[in-house]
Amino acid sequence: MALIAYDKTDAAAFEATRHLSGDALGAWRAAITRYLDPRPGMRLLDLGCGTGSWSQAFRAWWPAAGVLAVEPSAAMRERAPFQPVLAGHAADIPAADASVDAVWISTVIHHVPDLPAAAREIRRVLKPGGPVLIRSAFPGRHDGLTLCRFWPEAITALNGSYPAVATVEEAFATAGFTTAGFEPVAQVSAPSLEHAATHLRREAHTLLQLISDDAYARGVRRLSAAARTTTGPQIDVLDLLVLR
């Protein structure tokens, strides 16, 4: 079961505040294409696609490729402008054996309850040699995360609830995967800290849902105070783990 339910409230908050654009998407496109050679006819699986923003980006970047979007939450599927989005999850992917060329998993790996089972299922649907690209925050690597700067309790939640890089690698190794790359990617998450504070929705962030109401309120005050004096865009650093 996922760490949070992703009901209609969560899905609405996610759609409103978590879609990236502009410089942020450009940074991730550059990182992805260091490990993936997009070509006509290839098929990319967006596993746990949420409200479909990455599927939309892939279709825009590589219109001659196919995108298979899969999401377990009905509320997320209903809000996705990208269609179709199929019901499914990491241990039960609605795809034939060896039918996808690459798998994209963005801020989802911490919601997967059985990583070895997911690795086996991904191995089943992925063509030999295809990459699994995992975009995530990982325990012990929180220095570039705005949430952890203003909500130190989120660090405890991250370290206690998210799988470590080594944990993911070990789980996928049981299905024959090895690590092909690992790198931090800096993204522009918001045009300013003020914008981030104004548009903050707790329901859109797993880490903020895992902390107490009092801790959340204290962090909001810290963020609002910093937003009054901080200029420039909000930069966050997440990691890209690539397995083959």
Side-chain angles (χ1 to χ4, degrees):
M1 180 175 245
L3 288 180
I4 61 176
Y6 282 114
D7 57 19
K8 291 185 177 181
T9 299
D10 299 325
F14 192 96
E15 182 187 25
T17 64
R18 291 287 298 277
H19 289 188
L20 300 176
S21 61
D23 292 342
L25 283 175
W28 282 102
R29 181 178 184 178
I32 291 167
T33 52
R34 284 193 278 276
Y35 305 95
L36 177 66
D37 181 20
R39 61 189 184 279
M42 73 172 289
R43 194 178 191 211
L44 176 63
L45 169 60
D46 186 0
L47 183 57
C49 70
T51 49
S53 64
W54 287 104
S55 293
Q56 282 188 304
F58 299 148
R59 179 174 286 172
W61 294 344
W62 309 309
V67 179
L68 174 62
V70 174
E71 168 57 42
S73 165
M76 288 288 213
R77 295 196 303 270
E78 290 169 4
R79 297 195 74 91
F82 179 94
Q83 290 297 329
V85 177
L86 303 183
H89 55 82
D92 185 13
I93 301 170
D97 295 358
S99 61
V100 301
D101 296 277
V103 180
W104 173 252
I105 305 174
S106 176
T107 59
V108 166
I109 200 70
H110 51 281
H111 290 301
V112 177
D114 189 336
L115 287 172
R120 292 191 298 271
E121 179 70 347
I122 290 169
R123 173 58 78 195
R124 180 186 69 80
V125 303
L126 185 62
K127 294 179 182 178
V132 181
L133 304 115
I134 301 174
R135 172 180 178 263
S136 187
F138 289 104
R141 297 182 59 81
H142 58 267
D143 288 347
L145 300 176
T146 300
L147 293 184
C148 293
R149 175 183 168 195
F150 295 104
W151 288 271
E153 297 84 358
I155 300 172
T156 302
L158 174 68
N159 292 340
S161 301
Y162 283 44
V165 174
T167 301
V168 177
E169 291 174 321
E170 289 167 6
F172 275 75
T174 65
F177 289 96
T178 59
T179 300
F182 181 73
E183 62 180 89
V185 179
Q187 66 181 45
V188 177
S189 299
S192 67
L193 204 58
E194 181 181 15
H195 183 278
T198 301
H199 294 85
L200 177 68
R201 298 278 294 275
R202 184 182 187 182
E203 299 86 356
H205 299 277
T206 300
L207 290 176
L208 296 185
Q209 293 208 44
L210 293 176
I211 66 177
S212 70
D213 292 345
D214 286 344
Y216 175 71
R218 290 193 297 270
V220 169
R221 291 193 291 270
R222 286 190 287 265
L223 174 62
S224 299
R228 290 192 288 270
T229 60
T230 303
T231 59
Q234 175 197 339
I235 305 294
D236 283 293
V237 180
L238 281 79
D239 289 314
L240 178 64
L241 172 63
V242 183
L243 308 165
R244 291 187 190 272

